[in-house]
Amino acid sequence: MLIRRAELPCGEIADVRVSGTKIGKIGALAPLPDETLIEADGGALLPGLRDQHLHFLAYAASLESFSCADYDGTDACIEALHHAPRQANGWVRAVDFHESMGEISLAALDRDGPNVPVRIQHRSGRLWILNSLAIDHVKGGAVCPAFAHGITTGHFYDVDHELGRRLGHTLPDVARASRSLAAYGIVGFTDMTPTNSAHEARMFREWQEAGILLQDVQLAGRASLTAGPTKVHLHESDLPPFESLCQGIKDSHKRGRVVAVHCTTEVELVFTLAAFEEAGVIEGDRIEHASICNESCLRTIADLGLMVVTQPNFIAERGDTYLDEIEKSALLDLYRCASFMAADIPFAIASDAPFGGANPWAVMEAATKRVTASGIELTPEERISPEDALACVTGSLADPANPLTIHEGADASLVVLDQSWRAIRRSLASACVQLTVKRGEVVHSIASISPSERASVAEMS
């Protein structure tokens, strides 16, 4: 494959030959007989992107779900559920609910919603709201402990596994979700679902072998996995015994696995840092989110040598809600970017899809602009440059904070944009990916998809 007249990261226009899984030559190159030619026409050639924190199956399911985010208030949302698409099992599955819309009561959902089983997921991913038809289905005549606390309210926390078991674990369209990620230029991702086990590892491997999952995958999850980070999902309202967390960190390290701890509150972060101080840190241990990180925690993270993977896209997506709900003093500590870099903390940005938008270009733009949906600047001192934002999404899965580069002999996982970097850097969210190559294999090409698919890609971008 020869990519002609591509703009390299240094700004030079050159031809790039892909030989097998590697970049062969870079320069002014003549096509070889029968060589596939890709005309970049001066578009930026960049390393392939990696999303270092998403939840792939939930993202795939979200593409088939009704979004509550499009409606102003719960009454309008419940009314719109009548027109929401039904899943194969006859249910309505809705996502992106947040209490800023109001409260969805079981009575209102039964009275005003459709006469089919309905389940609505809070944007945090923890809460499911079910109507009575859905409750009757999942409880199956016997109320298990996982559902006992929500029978009268319809509000159920942390029941994903049990819901899946009772609904038969119907899988969403994996191929569609993978293609949508490839259209963004994503060649690999780390799935941070805490319940990932050997079963999920086998499924992902089978999908890759069948050619329906186009990305490289690193699974984080249960301690029983043999590779990838051990995921610890903390909840401030129900923290584990301190000694238990410390022992879990030590046990993971003994098995050669790093630890990734979910920290969305200051209490969770302080608790986690104390555990790492007690149990020890190995290279690659990471804090997920670090949503609120005060100066003291920032110094401790730096001193311990921990990595941070955070989500600046939430500033753009949820910033207006944060301004209403979070104490003003805490806003200064929200989803830091520049402070992590200034403290030499290994640092990457990621989407947390589907709980955040999956478009990595929008994630990068949020890191550079720090502007809420209504246009309010939120901690502009935490802005980073477009080049630094790109570096934060082009690290390998094994080493997220170390950006990959384009050079002869490098891995041929590449992205070609429709414009130069100089043009794109002014509005990263407008980037249109023309071509995505993973280790020498084209996994997305704007030229090879139908007009309707092309319009969908343009809308996503």
Side-chain angles (χ1 to χ4, degrees):
M1 179 193 308
L2 183 64
I3 303 173
R4 299 206 293 192
R5 297 197 67 253
E7 182 197 54
L8 302 179
C10 65
E12 176 187 350
I13 301 295
D15 305 324
V16 176
R17 172 164 287 124
V18 173
S19 301
T21 63
K22 302 292 184 181
I23 295 175
K25 292 286 186 180
I26 300 176
L29 307 175
L32 300 175
D34 300 323
E35 187 171 38
T36 299
L37 301 181
I38 305 293
E39 301 293 347
D41 293 325
L45 179 70
L46 305 171
L49 312 185
R50 278 84 175 172
D51 192 322
Q52 303 290 352
H53 184 129
L54 58 67
H55 306 271
F56 180 72
L57 285 176
Y59 170 64
S62 75
L63 297 179
E64 304 170 0
S65 301
F66 171 85
S67 176
C68 298
D70 299 330
Y71 297 89
D72 184 16
T74 56
D75 291 344
C77 180
I78 292 174
E79 175 62 27
L81 292 173
H82 287 275
H83 310 291
R86 279 23 174 195
Q87 295 183 285
N89 60 6
W91 286 51
V92 168
R93 185 185 192 276
V95 295
D96 299 328
F97 171 73
H98 186 256
E99 54 268 14
S100 62
M101 299 172 61
E103 181 181 352
I104 294 183
S105 68
L106 177 61
L109 199 54
D110 287 346
R111 181 185 66 247
D112 301 324
N115 191 33
V116 297
V118 175
R119 55 173 171 151
I120 302 172
Q121 188 178 41
H122 188 274
R123 72 181 187 188
S124 69
R126 289 193 61 201
L127 169 65
W128 283 99
I129 304 171
L130 276 61
N131 68 357
S132 291
L133 288 174
I135 293 171
D136 289 343
H137 184 94
V138 297
K139 75 180 184 182
V143 181
C144 74
F147 287 96
H149 64 285
I151 293 297
T152 59
T153 64
H155 288 209
F156 301 89
Y157 287 87
D158 302 319
V159 294
D160 277 27
H161 180 75
E162 188 63 23
L163 269 177
R165 187 181 72 80
R166 292 179 178 230
L167 294 177
H169 285 293
T170 302
L171 290 174
D173 189 341
V174 170
R176 175 189 178 188
S178 183
R179 289 195 305 270
S180 74
L181 295 179
Y184 290 134
I186 295 174
V187 298
F189 61 81
T190 296
D191 189 294
M192 272 288 165
T193 307
T195 54
N196 281 334
S197 65
H199 172 71
E200 283 74 25
R202 185 168 55 254
M203 283 198 310
F204 276 87
R205 187 167 56 251
E206 290 172 353
W207 293 332
Q208 288 174 319
E209 292 170 353
I212 62 174
L213 179 56
L214 305 172
Q215 286 77 25
D216 291 327
V217 178
Q218 175 178 243
L219 285 190
R222 298 184 187 276
S224 59
L225 285 172
T226 58
T230 298
K231 174 69 181 292
V232 180
H233 195 173
L234 295 181
H235 302 307
E236 181 178 328
S237 61
D238 187 25
L239 293 173
F242 181 73
E243 296 77 9
S244 175
L245 178 57
C246 293
Q247 190 59 51
I249 293 172
K250 293 176 182 178
D251 290 344
S252 288
H253 289 171
K254 287 178 183 177
R255 293 192 299 272
R257 294 182 63 198
V258 302
V259 177
V261 187
H262 164 108
C263 296
T264 59
T265 72
E266 186 173 332
V267 169
E268 290 168 1
L269 183 56
V270 169
F271 184 76
T272 296
L273 295 180
F276 274 121
E277 286 181 311
E278 175 68 24
V281 173
I282 63 174
E283 185 176 359
D285 283 340
R286 47 197 276 187
I287 303 294
E288 303 301 315
H289 308 299
S291 306
I292 296 178
C293 180
N294 62 34
E295 290 288 345
S296 176
C297 289
L298 187 74
R299 290 192 296 272
T300 303
I301 291 171
D303 290 343
L304 290 172
L306 289 162
M307 183 192 309
V308 172
V309 179
T310 194
Q311 290 74 34
N313 47 310
F314 288 144
I315 296 295
E317 296 168 14
R318 307 180 183 180
D320 293 314
T321 301
Y322 295 148
L323 287 167
D324 289 337
E325 296 182 353
I326 295 177
E327 291 183 13
K328 189 173 182 178
S329 60
L331 291 173
L332 299 174
D333 304 326
L334 192 64
Y335 291 107
R336 293 175 181 265
C337 289
S339 292
F340 292 135
M341 298 188 71
D344 291 326
I345 293 169
F347 166 63
I349 59 178
S351 71
D352 197 21
F355 311 113
N359 184 345
W361 303 96
V363 175
M364 285 185 265
E365 178 150 304
T368 67
K369 300 287 180 65
R370 307 288 296 193
V371 174
T372 71
S374 68
I376 298 173
E377 289 187 343
L378 186 52
T379 56
E381 64 274 13
E382 290 295 338
R383 291 174 181 151
I384 58 177
S385 72
E387 290 72 27
D388 285 335
L390 180 66
C392 287
V393 298
T394 50
S396 68
L397 298 182
D399 191 5
N402 187 17
L404 298 172
T405 59
I406 294 175
H407 60 271
E408 293 181 359
D411 174 75
S413 293
L414 305 165
V415 170
V416 179
L417 302 183
D418 68 336
Q419 298 181 65
S420 69
W421 177 251
R422 183 178 180 181
I424 291 296
R425 73 184 302 279
R426 295 195 292 265
S427 179
L428 291 170
S430 68
C432 180
V433 175
Q434 300 294 293
L435 185 77
T436 306
V437 179
K438 188 195 77 174
R439 289 201 302 279
E441 176 188 359
V442 174
V443 294
H444 164 75
S445 172
I446 199 81
S448 65
I449 63 177
S450 69
S452 62
E453 289 176 313
R454 193 173 304 177
S456 176
V457 169
E459 183 179 345
M460 288 192 305
S461 298

